[in-house]
Short mmCIF file of all heavy atoms in Angstrom, two decimals:
data_model
loop_
_atom_site.label_atom_id
_atom_site.label_comp_id
_atom_site.label_asym_id
_atom_site.label_seq_id
_atom_site.Cartn_x
_atom_site.Cartn_y
_atom_site.Cartn_z
N LEU A 1 -1.67 -3.51 8.86
CA LEU A 1 -1.72 -2.95 7.52
C LEU A 1 -2.15 -4.03 6.55
O LEU A 1 -1.62 -5.14 6.56
CB LEU A 1 -0.34 -2.42 7.11
CG LEU A 1 0.29 -1.37 8.03
CD1 LEU A 1 1.72 -1.06 7.58
CD2 LEU A 1 -0.55 -0.10 8.05
N VAL A 2 -3.09 -3.69 5.69
CA VAL A 2 -3.62 -4.64 4.73
C VAL A 2 -3.67 -3.98 3.36
O VAL A 2 -4.35 -2.96 3.17
CB VAL A 2 -5.02 -5.14 5.12
CG1 VAL A 2 -5.53 -6.12 4.06
CG2 VAL A 2 -4.99 -5.81 6.48
N GLU A 3 -2.96 -4.57 2.40
CA GLU A 3 -2.95 -4.05 1.05
C GLU A 3 -4.13 -4.60 0.26
O GLU A 3 -4.61 -5.71 0.52
CB GLU A 3 -1.65 -4.43 0.33
CG GLU A 3 -0.38 -3.94 1.01
CD GLU A 3 0.23 -4.96 1.93
OE1 GLU A 3 -0.48 -5.90 2.33
OE2 GLU A 3 1.43 -4.83 2.26
N SER A 4 -4.55 -3.85 -0.73
CA SER A 4 -5.59 -4.29 -1.64
C SER A 4 -5.41 -3.60 -2.98
O SER A 4 -4.71 -2.59 -3.08
CB SER A 4 -6.99 -4.02 -1.08
OG SER A 4 -7.20 -2.62 -0.91
N GLY A 5 -6.04 -4.16 -4.00
CA GLY A 5 -6.04 -3.53 -5.31
C GLY A 5 -5.06 -4.10 -6.31
O GLY A 5 -5.02 -3.64 -7.45
N GLY A 6 -4.27 -5.07 -5.92
CA GLY A 6 -3.31 -5.64 -6.83
C GLY A 6 -3.95 -6.60 -7.81
O GLY A 6 -5.16 -6.82 -7.82
N GLY A 7 -3.11 -7.17 -8.63
CA GLY A 7 -3.58 -8.13 -9.61
C GLY A 7 -2.80 -8.03 -10.89
O GLY A 7 -1.64 -7.62 -10.91
N LEU A 8 -3.45 -8.40 -11.97
CA LEU A 8 -2.84 -8.40 -13.29
C LEU A 8 -3.16 -7.10 -14.01
O LEU A 8 -4.32 -6.67 -14.05
CB LEU A 8 -3.33 -9.59 -14.11
CG LEU A 8 -2.80 -9.71 -15.53
CD1 LEU A 8 -1.30 -9.97 -15.52
CD2 LEU A 8 -3.52 -10.84 -16.26
N VAL A 9 -2.15 -6.48 -14.56
CA VAL A 9 -2.33 -5.24 -15.30
C VAL A 9 -1.51 -5.31 -16.58
O VAL A 9 -0.43 -5.90 -16.61
CB VAL A 9 -1.94 -4.02 -14.45
CG1 VAL A 9 -0.47 -4.08 -14.06
CG2 VAL A 9 -2.24 -2.73 -15.19
N GLN A 10 -2.01 -4.71 -17.62
CA GLN A 10 -1.30 -4.67 -18.88
C GLN A 10 -0.26 -3.57 -18.86
O GLN A 10 -0.46 -2.50 -18.29
CB GLN A 10 -2.29 -4.44 -20.03
CG GLN A 10 -1.65 -4.47 -21.41
CD GLN A 10 -2.68 -4.28 -22.51
OE1 GLN A 10 -3.88 -4.45 -22.29
NE2 GLN A 10 -2.22 -3.94 -23.70
N ALA A 11 0.88 -3.84 -19.47
CA ALA A 11 1.91 -2.83 -19.58
C ALA A 11 1.35 -1.57 -20.23
O ALA A 11 0.62 -1.64 -21.22
CB ALA A 11 3.09 -3.36 -20.39
N GLY A 12 1.68 -0.44 -19.65
CA GLY A 12 1.18 0.82 -20.16
C GLY A 12 -0.14 1.25 -19.56
O GLY A 12 -0.60 2.37 -19.82
N GLY A 13 -0.75 0.38 -18.78
CA GLY A 13 -2.00 0.70 -18.12
C GLY A 13 -1.76 1.37 -16.79
O GLY A 13 -0.83 2.15 -16.60
N SER A 14 -2.62 1.06 -15.84
CA SER A 14 -2.48 1.62 -14.52
C SER A 14 -3.08 0.69 -13.49
O SER A 14 -3.96 -0.12 -13.80
CB SER A 14 -3.14 3.01 -14.42
OG SER A 14 -4.54 2.91 -14.62
N VAL A 15 -2.61 0.82 -12.29
CA VAL A 15 -3.14 0.05 -11.19
C VAL A 15 -3.00 0.87 -9.92
O VAL A 15 -2.02 1.61 -9.76
CB VAL A 15 -2.42 -1.32 -11.05
CG1 VAL A 15 -0.93 -1.12 -10.79
CG2 VAL A 15 -3.05 -2.16 -9.96
N SER A 16 -3.98 0.77 -9.05
CA SER A 16 -3.98 1.51 -7.80
C SER A 16 -3.98 0.54 -6.64
O SER A 16 -4.82 -0.35 -6.57
CB SER A 16 -5.20 2.43 -7.71
OG SER A 16 -5.17 3.42 -8.72
N LEU A 17 -3.05 0.72 -5.74
CA LEU A 17 -2.98 -0.07 -4.53
C LEU A 17 -3.40 0.77 -3.34
O LEU A 17 -3.10 1.97 -3.27
CB LEU A 17 -1.56 -0.59 -4.30
CG LEU A 17 -0.92 -1.42 -5.41
CD1 LEU A 17 0.45 -1.89 -4.97
CD2 LEU A 17 -1.82 -2.59 -5.79
N SER A 18 -4.08 0.15 -2.42
CA SER A 18 -4.47 0.79 -1.18
C SER A 18 -3.89 0.00 -0.02
O SER A 18 -3.67 -1.20 -0.11
CB SER A 18 -5.99 0.87 -1.05
OG SER A 18 -6.56 1.63 -2.08
N CYS A 19 -3.67 0.70 1.06
CA CYS A 19 -3.20 0.08 2.28
C CYS A 19 -3.99 0.67 3.43
O CYS A 19 -3.83 1.85 3.76
CB CYS A 19 -1.70 0.32 2.46
SG CYS A 19 -1.03 -0.32 4.01
N ALA A 20 -4.83 -0.15 4.03
CA ALA A 20 -5.66 0.29 5.13
C ALA A 20 -5.02 -0.08 6.46
O ALA A 20 -4.56 -1.21 6.65
CB ALA A 20 -7.05 -0.34 5.03
N ALA A 21 -5.00 0.87 7.36
CA ALA A 21 -4.41 0.66 8.68
C ALA A 21 -5.50 0.54 9.72
O ALA A 21 -6.56 1.17 9.63
CB ALA A 21 -3.47 1.80 9.03
N SER A 22 -5.24 -0.27 10.71
CA SER A 22 -6.15 -0.41 11.83
C SER A 22 -5.34 -0.60 13.11
O SER A 22 -4.17 -0.96 13.06
CB SER A 22 -7.11 -1.59 11.63
OG SER A 22 -6.40 -2.81 11.51
N GLY A 23 -5.97 -0.35 14.21
CA GLY A 23 -5.29 -0.48 15.49
C GLY A 23 -4.77 0.84 16.02
O GLY A 23 -4.86 1.10 17.23
N ARG A 24 -4.22 1.64 15.14
CA ARG A 24 -3.76 2.97 15.48
C ARG A 24 -3.99 3.89 14.29
O ARG A 24 -4.11 3.43 13.16
CB ARG A 24 -2.28 2.98 15.88
CG ARG A 24 -1.99 2.30 17.19
CD ARG A 24 -0.54 2.48 17.60
NE ARG A 24 -0.26 1.87 18.88
CZ ARG A 24 0.92 1.88 19.47
NH1 ARG A 24 1.96 2.48 18.89
NH2 ARG A 24 1.09 1.30 20.64
N THR A 25 -4.01 5.16 14.56
CA THR A 25 -4.22 6.12 13.49
C THR A 25 -2.97 6.21 12.63
O THR A 25 -1.85 6.29 13.13
CB THR A 25 -4.58 7.50 14.05
OG1 THR A 25 -3.54 7.94 14.94
CG2 THR A 25 -5.89 7.44 14.82
N LEU A 26 -3.19 6.21 11.34
CA LEU A 26 -2.08 6.24 10.41
C LEU A 26 -1.31 7.55 10.47
O LEU A 26 -0.13 7.60 10.12
CB LEU A 26 -2.58 5.98 8.99
CG LEU A 26 -1.54 5.66 7.92
CD1 LEU A 26 -0.78 4.38 8.27
CD2 LEU A 26 -2.21 5.53 6.56
N SER A 27 -1.97 8.60 10.93
CA SER A 27 -1.33 9.90 11.00
C SER A 27 -0.15 9.94 11.97
O SER A 27 0.63 10.88 11.94
CB SER A 27 -2.35 10.98 11.39
OG SER A 27 -2.90 10.72 12.67
N SER A 28 -0.02 8.92 12.79
CA SER A 28 1.09 8.86 13.72
C SER A 28 2.41 8.49 13.05
O SER A 28 3.46 8.60 13.67
CB SER A 28 0.80 7.84 14.83
OG SER A 28 -0.34 8.21 15.58
N TYR A 29 2.35 8.05 11.79
CA TYR A 29 3.50 7.43 11.17
C TYR A 29 3.85 7.99 9.81
O TYR A 29 2.96 8.35 9.02
CB TYR A 29 3.26 5.93 10.99
CG TYR A 29 2.81 5.21 12.24
CD1 TYR A 29 1.49 4.79 12.38
CD2 TYR A 29 3.71 4.94 13.25
CE1 TYR A 29 1.08 4.12 13.51
CE2 TYR A 29 3.30 4.28 14.39
CZ TYR A 29 1.99 3.87 14.51
OH TYR A 29 1.58 3.20 15.65
N ASN A 30 5.14 8.02 9.52
CA ASN A 30 5.57 8.02 8.13
C ASN A 30 5.18 6.66 7.53
O ASN A 30 5.19 5.64 8.23
CB ASN A 30 7.08 8.19 8.03
CG ASN A 30 7.55 9.52 8.57
OD1 ASN A 30 6.83 10.52 8.55
ND2 ASN A 30 8.80 9.54 9.03
N VAL A 31 4.86 6.65 6.27
CA VAL A 31 4.48 5.40 5.61
C VAL A 31 5.25 5.26 4.32
O VAL A 31 5.67 6.25 3.71
CB VAL A 31 2.97 5.33 5.35
CG1 VAL A 31 2.20 5.33 6.66
CG2 VAL A 31 2.50 6.48 4.47
N GLY A 32 5.43 4.02 3.91
CA GLY A 32 6.18 3.76 2.70
C GLY A 32 5.64 2.56 1.94
O GLY A 32 4.88 1.75 2.46
N TRP A 33 6.06 2.49 0.69
CA TRP A 33 5.78 1.34 -0.16
C TRP A 33 7.10 0.70 -0.56
O TRP A 33 8.07 1.39 -0.89
CB TRP A 33 5.01 1.74 -1.41
CG TRP A 33 3.56 2.03 -1.16
CD1 TRP A 33 2.99 3.25 -0.94
CD2 TRP A 33 2.50 1.08 -1.13
NE1 TRP A 33 1.64 3.11 -0.76
CE2 TRP A 33 1.31 1.79 -0.88
CE3 TRP A 33 2.43 -0.31 -1.29
CZ2 TRP A 33 0.06 1.17 -0.78
CZ3 TRP A 33 1.19 -0.94 -1.19
CH2 TRP A 33 0.03 -0.20 -0.94
N PHE A 34 7.09 -0.61 -0.58
CA PHE A 34 8.25 -1.39 -0.94
C PHE A 34 7.81 -2.50 -1.88
O PHE A 34 6.62 -2.80 -1.98
CB PHE A 34 8.93 -1.97 0.30
CG PHE A 34 9.39 -0.93 1.28
CD1 PHE A 34 8.51 -0.34 2.16
CD2 PHE A 34 10.72 -0.53 1.30
CE1 PHE A 34 8.92 0.63 3.05
CE2 PHE A 34 11.15 0.44 2.20
CZ PHE A 34 10.25 1.02 3.07
N ARG A 35 8.76 -3.12 -2.54
CA ARG A 35 8.42 -4.23 -3.40
C ARG A 35 9.54 -5.25 -3.39
O ARG A 35 10.70 -4.93 -3.10
CB ARG A 35 8.13 -3.76 -4.83
CG ARG A 35 9.36 -3.28 -5.60
CD ARG A 35 8.96 -2.77 -6.97
NE ARG A 35 10.10 -2.49 -7.81
CZ ARG A 35 10.03 -1.98 -9.03
NH1 ARG A 35 8.84 -1.68 -9.56
NH2 ARG A 35 11.13 -1.75 -9.73
N GLN A 36 9.18 -6.47 -3.73
CA GLN A 36 10.15 -7.55 -3.82
C GLN A 36 9.80 -8.41 -5.02
O GLN A 36 8.75 -9.04 -5.06
CB GLN A 36 10.18 -8.38 -2.54
CG GLN A 36 11.30 -9.40 -2.51
CD GLN A 36 11.51 -9.97 -1.12
OE1 GLN A 36 10.64 -9.92 -0.27
NE2 GLN A 36 12.68 -10.54 -0.89
#
């Protein structure tokens, strides 16, 4: 799994993150987002 699309964003704006999967089809799994 490889995330992309992050960076600096202004409060009140918007940002879109993507997560591309390889090796197996993503449809095999539940998926989630987490943060730290």
Side-chain angles (χ1 to χ4, degrees):
L1 303 173
V2 180
E3 302 94 341
S4 63
L8 179 65
V9 62
Q10 184 178 343
S14 64
V15 60
S16 297
L17 304 182
S18 298
C19 176
S22 61
R24 291 187 178 180
T25 57
L26 194 61
S27 62
S28 298
Y29 308 106
N30 297 332
V31 296
W33 285 95
F34 300 80
R35 71 183 189 183
Q36 188 166 20

